[in-house]
Amino acid sequence: MTNQSVTPTLDEAPTAAPVADERHLAAVMESLDRLMTIEIRPADGKLPAGIVSGLYGACRDYFGEPLTGLAERRLRASVATNSTVLIATGAGIGPWLPEGETDGPMGAAVLGRAIASTLKAKIVFVTEARHEPAVRAAIDALTYPQGAPPEIELVEAGEKEGRQAAQRLITLYRPTAVIFIERDGPGTQGRFHGVRGDCRSANDVAQLHHLANLANRSSVLTIGIGDGGNEIGFGAHRRRIASRLPGDGTCRSGCDSGIYTVTKTQVTISASVSNWGAYALTAGLAASSGDTDVCHTPEDEDTLLRACIAAGARDGATGSTALQTDGIPLETHQHVIALMKTIAATTSPRTASIGRQPPPVFATPAAPHRSRFVS
């Protein structure tokens, strides 16, 4: 008997095993980390530019692996079917952002839907009254799994109110995970800061860091997602951040603590935009489950942003109603989430539907009467 080799035709291209192994998943998580940490903030002084790699590096040094992959793995191990996951979000106060910003609520809504879909958990959002309209608008802009409508819990400003709310939420819901997205935490002197260094009295904000502290003491998984070092979750990385970014993080009012929070979470995701950190974790869940439909589309991003702005949220960089988040135009965000979904789809044997592609970020008008040659 002779062995005959068969040359595959174009319609019969050879394929590898259709199921992703752990090495493939690790590569996907690494790619998502790289994508969510592109240094892309405009150098116009409205938000500190050039800090993304320093913040991410401080967290990566501590955990020693892709942050997206660690958070995804810990979620899968901790969240039981029909258990509750709390997601706290909402940042910004007046006069600049009297009803909050678009970074946070959008990522929270997308990630909450992904957890409800892949891990079959109940989602409860935690925020304060000024941020509720944008959070609710973001939730309503997406379709959650049938029979699993998310809830919203409000926490009032103040120290006592924050402690009481944390105890009530942990006792009432017995969550298997608590996630914080773009939610400020206090510095060493108990004051809260924006990423620009503006200082806020502890009595002016809902103190949701008490929820993180109590969850940590109760052995509940905690995940912090942020982009400036002032958000809940970066507390374990203060010294490493200071060594990587000397001179940054100064409080404009002269607080010795600077802007970096002391509040820790068990996992920290540091991204260029907090929404991107939530989107990357969503894509990680999609990759591990093989269900890329849990990722949102470029069209969804447009709908989410418009809904949050209509509800009163503003761009955190400019305080305006422009279609942008953290000073970055909508089209750029759309390209990033399309890339994330494409990366997640590499673990699935079926091709993902990315949705309508956004227009080019830098569109060049065509020259109808001249030919262009590119060497």
Side-chain angles (χ1 to χ4, degrees), residues 75-313:
L75 273 175
R76 280 194 289 115
S78 301
V79 177
T81 300
N82 295 325
S83 67
T84 298
V85 173
L86 304 181
I87 301 180
T89 191
I93 62 174
W96 188 255
L97 300 167
E99 294 177 271
E101 61 172 302
T102 54
D103 191 19
M106 296 168 62
V110 169
L111 179 56
R113 185 180 67 167
I115 293 173
S117 299
T118 60
L119 303 179
K120 313 303 180 187
K122 175 183 178 180
I123 306 300
V124 176
F125 293 93
V126 184
T127 189
E128 54 188 295
R130 80 187 87 194
H131 302 141
E132 181 190 11
V135 172
R136 188 173 297 279
I139 296 169
D140 291 343
L142 298 174
T143 301
Y144 270 67
Q146 190 172 7
E151 299 179 15
I152 298 179
E153 288 276 0
L154 299 182
V155 177
E156 296 180 5
E159 169 79 16
K160 182 180 72 173
E161 291 81 357
R163 290 184 181 276
Q164 290 176 343
Q167 186 65 59
R168 183 179 66 83
L169 292 170
I170 294 294
T171 301
L172 176 62
Y173 291 106
R174 300 189 179 277
T176 50
V178 185
I179 304 172
F180 301 84
I181 304 174
E182 184 69 6
R183 186 66 213 185
D184 297 347
T188 56
Q189 295 174 305
R191 304 186 74 179
F192 295 74
H193 296 83
V195 71
R196 298 178 182 84
D198 49 303
C199 191
R200 304 158 186 174
S201 168
N203 293 322
D204 293 337
V205 299
Q207 299 192 24
L208 297 185
H209 67 287
H210 292 300
L211 178 59
N213 294 336
L214 182 57
N216 286 329
R217 292 196 300 270
S218 304
S219 299
V220 175
L221 172 64
T222 53
I223 299 173
I225 301 176
D227 57 25
N230 57 312
E231 300 95 350
I232 291 173
F234 283 96
H237 317 290
R238 279 173 56 88
R239 291 183 180 179
R240 279 178 296 277
I241 293 172
S243 66
R244 283 176 169 267
L245 299 171
D248 285 282
T250 302
C251 171
R252 290 184 178 181
S253 298
C255 291
D256 293 336
S257 68
I259 73 167
Y260 302 130
T261 185
V262 297
T263 305
K264 304 175 183 179
T265 52
Q266 295 162 33
V267 182
T268 313
I269 294 180
S270 179
S272 296
V273 182
S274 294
N275 281 347
W276 290 9
Y279 298 163
L281 181 50
T282 295
L285 288 168
S288 65
S289 67
D291 182 8
T292 55
D293 288 341
V294 303
C295 296
H296 72 309
T297 65
E299 296 97 320
D300 292 332
E301 182 76 359
D302 183 293
T303 301
L304 281 163
L305 182 57
R306 292 177 188 274
C308 286
I309 290 173

Side-chain angles (χ1 to χ4, degrees), residues 309 313-315 318-324:
I309 290 173
R314 298 292 180 262
D315 170 40
T318 63
S320 73
T321 58
L323 289 177
Q324 58 190 38

Side-chain angles (χ1 to χ4, degrees), residues 24 28 31-32 35 283 286-287 292 295-296 298 334-348 350-355 357:
H24 187 175
V28 165
S31 296
L32 293 171
L35 185 54
T292 55
C295 296
H296 72 309
Q334 291 177 306
H335 283 291
V336 168
I337 65 170
L339 282 170
M340 287 184 177
K341 188 169 185 177
T342 302
I343 292 169
T346 65
T347 67
S348 174
R350 62 188 179 91
T351 303
S353 174
I354 305 303
Q357 293 299 292

